Amino acid sequence: MSTRHLLPIATRQETAGLAWRLVARHRLPLVASIVSFVLAGLCALVAPWMLGHIVDLVIEGAPARELTTAAVVIGVAAVGGGLFTWASVAFLARAGEPALAELREDVLDKALALDSARVEAAGTGDLLSRVGDDARTVASSLTEIVPTLVNSLVLVAFTAAGLFALDWRLGLAGLGALPFYVMGLRWYLPKSGPYYARERVAQGERAQAMVSGLQGAPTVRAFGMSADQVATIEDRSDEARTISVTVFRLLTRFGARSNRAELIGLLLVLTTGFLLVRADSTTVGAVTAAALYFHRLFNPINALLYIFDSVQSTGASLSRLAGVSLLPPPPARPGSLPAAPGPLTLAGIDHAYVEGRPVLSSVAVTIAPGERVALVGATGAGKTTLGAIAAGVLPPTSGRVDLAGTSLAELPSSVLRQRVSLINQDFYVFAGTVRDAVTLVAADATDDAVRAALETVSALGWVEALPDGLDTVIGGGAHPLTPAQAQHLALARIALADPWFVVLDEATAEAGSAGARDLERAALAVTEGRGALVVAHRLTQSESADRVLVMHEGRVVEEGSHDELLRSGGRYAELWAAWSGS
């Protein structure tokens, strides 16, 4: 099993409390649904009762008119039962779907508010499996499992009452099967419950392995690790499959115990009925109705027993969603900023993803408003980590990051994101129009403002050449964008947001040689007039910077302008010589 720190899973009490609070906000359709389920259950009692009555009428030689009346009553009850069943499901959807939507929104809100370090510690697969697989499981249960569960409970309760109404002795005979059902459940539930919880975790591990493999596909192929990565995915899949097969085996054995209980119950009802009829204590019609009632119990009881399989699966998913939903809100941050831009200061920054293995050590950087600082160094020097800390995305292990004299830790997220923006090399194209992709940072922006932002990053030309211009739909399954075009839109968002500082973490790395120069010019344009920390993928980016910081093994080892560092003949000069071939 994984040693990662998974996101919390709510207890049964916490999950039940959350579910009730969500559903209770929609009491009227919930009450209407319960009433409809009850009426549908009452209608279901009519047919067996009337069939037993018809048997007695036939034995007594009653006129055909009475038989016809009984048949009409059965038909009316069947139509009524169908209508009430439809109404019960419809009202349940009116109560449950809004509650589920609120839960999804709350989970997504809490997930987006999670600290990036917390998400990395849990693994993106854990979070993805919750908002994906678990949410889908709960949604399907609302339309399939819950109606079956409630309807079965009502039918079992009313049918048992009908048995006792016919004859208390027939009712007791039917109850004789109850201990055998209970024995089956007591055997099954303790064994299967833990497996469902493990199955959900295993699915998260499988999702994590697949996400990691897909995100790192170029690296995996470059180092010939494809077979190892596929083997890892197979191992995670095998673990999830093994748990599922084990649960299915338990389920089939549970089914045998359920069939045994049905056989015993029906034998008890028929035997008791035979003895009562022989003693003239009841009629053949009553015994017929009792047998039909008990036979009618097969489906709802089996549904209840087998639905425990789905209920436990749904419960495991719901508890994982509730675990995220019940996370405490982030602490209030009362900090504020002055109207005028101030410096971005990093002092005494240390950071370690794993204790005892520092990535950054005693880093101190100050970036003035309007200053463009380039960050260079070999792979693994700590550039990306420092950029994330400067942007307020990653809290440092120790040290302080201030913006205009206020610690980033004290600033509300909305204020921080308005003043400091981050673009990295992992581009993502959001589904929607080009306009939507740019106005993510300012929903009320006018088309003129959007065009001005696109013009700033030299993207307006190719956007207007699209089939529908700003209205062109992009994203999954729509008009495809190149990596350079996707990054153009990301840079346009920065121009539209107009922050004080921008952190560019190798934002042009994925463009390829064809689009690299265009993106570098766009990145230079978007940093014009605002402070910038540029993690330089190409050293041409450092050439145009006001100041260059050279990192080595988590420390800033050189600092100065491009020309000054070349004249000093230090590490930067070596990097430049290797880059330029001179």
Side-chain angles (χ1 to χ4, degrees):
M1 296 300 291
S2 173
T3 58
R4 292 198 312 273
H5 302 288
L6 299 180
L7 295 173
I9 299 175
T11 64
R12 290 183 180 180
Q13 292 79 7
E14 291 172 336
T15 303
L18 175 64
W20 172 248
R21 288 194 299 273
L22 290 171
V23 175
R25 297 173 188 171
H26 311 278
R27 287 189 177 89
L28 187 59
L30 181 63
V31 171
S33 176
I34 293 173
V35 170
S36 299
F37 274 118
V38 170
L39 294 175
L42 289 173
C43 289
L45 295 178
V46 173
W49 188 288
M50 295 307 299
L51 286 173
H53 180 59
I54 289 174
V55 169
D56 286 339
L57 290 177
V58 171
I59 292 175
E60 295 169 2
R65 176 174 55 82
E66 295 186 29
L67 297 175
T68 302
T69 300
V72 170
V73 171
I74 292 175
V76 171
V79 173
L83 291 175
F84 287 127
T85 299
W86 169 81
S88 64
V89 175
F91 283 121
L92 180 63
R94 287 176 175 264
E97 290 292 353
L100 180 60
E102 291 172 18
L103 176 60
R104 278 176 160 169
E105 291 172 0
D106 194 35
V107 169
L108 182 59
D109 183 59
K110 292 291 178 63
L112 292 176
L114 282 173
D115 185 88
S116 59
R118 181 70 180 89
V119 176
E120 289 179 5
T124 54
D126 182 39
L127 183 57
L128 285 174
S129 66
R130 295 188 192 224
V131 299
D133 293 340
D134 291 328
R136 185 166 50 251
T137 297
V138 175
S140 65
S141 74
L142 186 64
T143 56
E144 301 172 9
I145 297 172
V146 174
T148 302
L149 175 65
V150 177
N151 189 53
S152 298
L153 286 172
V154 170
L155 283 177
V156 168
F158 283 7
T159 303
L163 272 173
F164 278 95
L166 288 169
D167 191 292
W168 64 271
R169 290 161 293 191
L170 293 173
L172 288 178
L175 283 180
L178 184 60
F180 297 94
Y181 283 117
V182 172
M183 289 169 58
L185 277 176
R186 290 187 62 183
W187 174 85
Y188 176 69
L189 292 181
K191 287 180 168 55
S192 62
Y195 277 102
Y196 281 107
R198 288 173 54 193
E199 183 180 36
R200 289 290 172 238
V201 173
Q203 288 175 348
E205 295 294 319
R206 179 179 59 193
Q208 173 65 32
M210 294 182 67
V211 168
S212 299
L214 291 173
Q215 289 181 337
T219 302
V220 169
R221 288 194 293 267
F223 287 93
M225 298 166 56
S226 300
D228 293 337
Q229 189 63 36
V230 170
T232 300
I233 295 174
E234 288 178 348
D235 289 342
R236 299 293 185 270
S237 300
D238 183 64
E239 184 177 358
R241 181 178 64 248
T242 300
I243 295 173
S244 299
V245 170
T246 301
V247 171
F248 185 76
R249 287 173 178 168
L250 291 173
L251 188 62
T252 55
R253 294 170 65 184
F254 175 59
R257 286 167 168 78
S258 174
N259 292 336
R260 180 182 63 189
E262 292 173 355
L263 174 62
I264 292 172
L266 189 57
L267 287 175
L268 288 173
V269 170
L270 291 176
T271 301
T272 303
F274 170 77
L275 295 176
L276 291 175
V277 170
R278 191 171 65 175
D280 291 329
S281 297
T282 190
T283 65
V284 173
V287 175
T288 302
L292 290 174
Y293 272 142
F294 191 81
H295 186 271
R296 178 176 282 264
L297 281 174
F298 285 5
N299 285 338
I301 286 180
N302 276 326
L304 284 176
L305 295 177
Y306 282 100
I307 216 171
F308 273 108
D309 180 74
S310 299
V311 166
Q312 289 194 105
S313 179
T314 301
S317 293
L318 186 58
S319 64
R320 283 163 55 82
L321 290 173
V324 178
S325 177
L326 294 174
L327 284 171
R333 297 180 174 184
S336 60
L337 292 172
L344 180 63
T345 304
L346 292 79
I349 299 298
D350 296 326
H351 191 74
Y353 294 102
V354 179
E355 188 175 355
R357 298 174 62 183
V359 177
L360 297 175
S361 300
S362 303
V363 177
V365 180
T366 297
I367 305 173
E371 182 184 22
R372 191 169 188 267
V373 177
L375 202 60
V376 302
T379 300
K383 305 187 301 297
T384 293
T385 300
L386 185 61
I389 291 174
V393 174
L394 179 67
T397 304
S398 64
R400 181 183 175 94
V401 184
D402 290 345
L403 177 61
T406 302
S407 172
L408 297 192
E410 298 174 3
L411 289 175
S413 178
S414 58
V415 174
L416 174 59
R417 294 279 73 85
Q418 288 174 359
R419 299 307 183 194
V420 183
S421 297
L422 167 69
I423 303 181
N424 58 27
Q425 58 186 323
D426 297 324
F427 64 89
Y428 181 80
V429 179
F430 293 91
T433 65
V434 172
R435 180 188 295 102
D436 295 334
V438 179
T439 58
L440 281 172
V441 296
D444 58 349
T446 64
D447 282 1
D448 288 340
V450 173
R451 289 190 176 91
L454 291 168
E455 179 66 30
T456 298
V457 298
S458 303
L460 185 59
W462 67 259
V463 167
E464 290 184 337
L466 293 175
D468 298 309
L470 290 177
D471 294 314
T472 302
V473 178
I474 56 178
H479 185 87
L481 297 181
T482 66
Q485 289 174 333
Q487 284 295 58
H488 262 138
L489 296 185
L491 291 168
R493 283 196 290 267
I494 297 299
L496 184 62
D498 192 23
W500 288 354
F501 290 88
V502 59
V503 177
L504 301 179
D505 181 9
E506 300 188 355
T508 64
E510 295 295 328
S513 57
R517 287 190 177 86
D518 290 339
L519 272 187
E520 286 180 11
R521 284 192 291 267
L524 184 62
V526 86
T527 59
E528 190 69 32
R530 58 176 57 91
L533 179 63
V534 181
V535 178
H537 177 69
R538 294 174 172 85
L539 289 189
T540 50
Q541 296 170 304
S542 65
E543 188 177 12
S544 58
D546 299 314
R547 187 156 46 102
V548 179
L549 304 179
V550 182
M551 295 196 67
H552 179 64
E553 295 182 353
R555 296 177 182 271
V556 176
V557 295
E558 292 182 15
E559 180 177 354
S561 69
H562 169 75
D563 293 334
E564 290 171 347
L565 293 177
L566 284 183
R567 285 195 299 269
S568 68
R571 187 168 185 81
Y572 181 79
E574 294 175 0
L575 291 172
W576 181 262
W579 165 261
S580 60
S582 61

